[in-house]
Amino acid sequence: MCTCSRNLLRCLSLSLNNEIKQRRSEWRGRSNFLRFTRNLSNVFISPRSRVPKSLQTGKRYVGIWSSSEPSDWNKAVSNAEKIVGYPTSFMSLRCLLSDEISNVVLHMRKLVGTQHPLLRTARGLVYDGKHGLQTRGLIVLLLSKAAGPGPQIEGKMLEKDKITGICPRQRSLAEVTEMIHTANLIHKGVVNLSDLDPVFDGPIKDMEFGNKMAVLSGDFLLANASTGLAELKNTKVVETMSSAIGDLMEAEFTGLRDGKGNPALPSSVTFSDWLKQTFLSSGSLLAKSCQSSMELVKHDDHVQKQAFEFGCNMAYVQQLNEDMAPFLHPEEFLDQLTMVSAPVMKYAEIHGVASLDTFTSPLSSSDRKQIVSLIQSSQVLNECLTLCEEYGQKAIQALDIFPHSDAKMALVNIVEAVMK
């Protein structure tokens, strides 16, 4: 056999081996996905007990913009997903298809039928009854596309990235943002075992197992997020996003909780306390992710500041919307009312915390109804609606620095859908 023929056969053999490896990888990914979805359905579709209210009161409501009309919201998100290239439900698909997460879901099946809040948190991450929760990454991608590349790298982008308007590192940042948010929600599912009553809350060993799952799965996502940040190879972005993670931790120690972790008002409170809490718990991650997406493509400090302002004001609008839901639609959202919601803290600032001393956490159903009646009879709701409008307009104004585009209009539509 001549040398030319041998070289040809060698090339064909290498090509065939590569094709076999690729097919094996695809089937392995499909197998992981099938195993993941099968385990997921067993966890989330099987009959389960309702989480007791005593375990719900220790966390702020995690749904995103739930009181806006589903049609307006779904339309805005659907159009936005078409612009960025894929649905937000696939944002963390690489992480979800890993063997580690598949094993976590497999072990979570043991929690079915228990009262552990990790199940409710996990179900909410998949679907919260109206729309998906993975919107932070979508906003980061939309802002990246609206801003485009900075002047320093505009000529260095690959052709496919020029078409999409989003560089691969910005997409990776969006995934990291979602993983950090998800890890934080899962960590909040940890239950204080000393406060549980085995008669009402179920066996302590089940709760202890659920706590272990919440800690380990949250830590796994956080570790993946940290690895993803390092792979961006930008020290400023790593520093910025690390500070956002620190803010999420600080949000748990702002003095707006009692000794058992239930939301509670301190002896004196102002609305600035609500702004600080909202920034630390949600605004910082979104604002700093938007800022970092601009840094990755070398936009100047002014553009980064406007991106930060957009994310910050967007978070204020979102949280105001959620906090007002129990007062505007009590028949549907009454259970989401807490003592640290915006209308309650605004009322306490005007009338004093002493005017609400008769209500203590955890709130009963009758307590919530009395608080709703009390605040509906005041001007607090109108003031909160005005604030929601103001922060929404500030978010839209922050986008003025970017040229008109479909991505920019999609961001405006999302803000307006939240404001409604």
Side-chain angles (χ1 to χ4, degrees), residues 265-269 344-357:
L265 294 176
S267 56
S268 62
V269 67
V344 175
M345 293 185 70
K346 193 72 175 174
Y347 185 91
E349 180 184 41
I350 298 171
H351 300 280
V353 177
S355 62
L356 298 170
D357 278 349

Side-chain angles (χ1 to χ4, degrees), residues 116 189-191 193 206-216:
H116 202 283
V190 175
V191 175
L193 298 177
D206 289 342
M207 294 299 181
E208 187 176 7
F209 177 76
N211 280 356
K212 291 178 181 178
M213 294 302 302
V215 171
L216 291 175

Side-chain angles (χ1 to χ4, degrees), residues 35-312:
R35 184 168 66 253
F36 172 79
T37 52
R38 184 167 57 249
N39 292 333
L40 199 66
S41 64
N42 289 334
V43 172
F44 301 135
I45 300 178
S46 299
R48 80 282 290 189
S49 303
R50 187 174 67 88
V51 178
K53 293 180 181 178
S54 61
L55 299 181
Q56 296 180 16
T57 54
K59 300 175 285 299
R60 301 181 83 180
Y61 177 60
V62 298
I64 303 300
W65 308 310
S66 294
S67 59
S68 60
E69 289 297 325
S71 58
D72 295 336
W73 172 258
N74 289 340
K75 183 178 179 180
V77 170
S78 178
N79 290 337
E81 289 175 339
K82 293 174 184 176
I83 292 171
V84 300
Y86 53 79
T88 53
S89 57
F90 295 150
M91 192 71 70
S92 303
L93 192 58
R94 285 188 301 172
C95 183
L96 289 177
L97 291 181
S98 66
D99 291 331
E100 290 86 352
I101 289 296
S102 295
N103 290 331
V104 166
V105 174
L106 182 64
H107 286 296
M108 281 179 61
R109 293 174 60 185
K110 299 175 184 178
L111 294 177
V112 173
T114 71
Q115 307 279 19
H116 202 283
L118 177 60
L119 284 177
R120 183 172 61 92
T121 300
R123 285 197 299 272
L125 291 172
V126 179
Y127 189 71
D128 74 342
K130 290 183 182 295
H131 34 66
L133 295 180
Q134 294 179 312
T135 51
R136 287 161 181 80
L138 176 62
I139 289 174
V140 171
L141 292 178
L142 283 173
L143 196 66
S144 301
K145 190 174 180 67
Q152 297 181 32
I153 67 167
E154 190 168 8
K156 302 178 182 179
M157 289 185 69
L158 297 176
E159 193 63 33
K160 63 177 182 178
D161 296 332
K162 289 181 181 179
I163 295 174
T164 62
I166 305 172
C167 78
R169 291 198 299 168
Q170 287 174 315
R171 291 190 182 273
S172 297
L173 176 64
E175 293 179 2
V176 166
T177 300
E178 287 298 341
M179 279 192 280
I180 293 173
H181 170 64
T182 304
N184 184 52
L185 287 183
I186 291 175
H187 277 153
K188 285 185 177 183
V190 175
V191 175
N192 189 351
L193 298 177
S194 62
D195 294 337
L196 298 180
D197 185 341
V199 176
F200 297 101
D201 300 321
I204 297 296
K205 65 177 183 179
D206 289 342
M207 294 299 181
E208 187 176 7
F209 177 76
N211 280 356
K212 291 178 181 178
M213 294 302 302
V215 171
L216 291 175
S217 55
D219 286 352
F220 171 76
L221 287 174
L222 208 53
N224 272 269
S226 300
T227 302
L229 283 176
E231 291 173 349
L232 295 177
K233 298 180 180 180
N234 186 306
T235 54
K236 184 177 178 181
V237 169
V238 172
E239 181 181 358
T240 301
M241 295 301 293
S242 297
S243 67
I245 297 175
D247 289 338
L248 289 173
M249 302 304 106
E250 187 180 346
E252 301 301 312
F253 305 96
T254 55
L256 294 179
R257 295 183 184 277
D258 60 20
K260 296 182 178 181
N262 297 317
L265 294 176
S267 56
S268 62
V269 67
T270 64
F271 196 71
S272 61
D273 295 321
W274 180 89
L275 291 173
K276 178 183 178 181
Q277 174 70 25
T278 301
F279 175 77
L280 291 174
S281 62
S282 60
S284 176
L285 178 60
L286 182 57
K288 292 179 179 180
S289 296
C290 292
Q291 177 186 353
S292 296
S293 70
M294 301 297 100
E295 164 63 25
L296 286 174
V297 288
K298 304 301 180 184
H299 279 292
D300 59 34
D301 291 343
H302 179 58
V303 175
Q304 291 183 35
K305 181 180 178 182
Q306 292 301 105
F308 180 92
E309 288 297 319
F310 171 80
C312 190

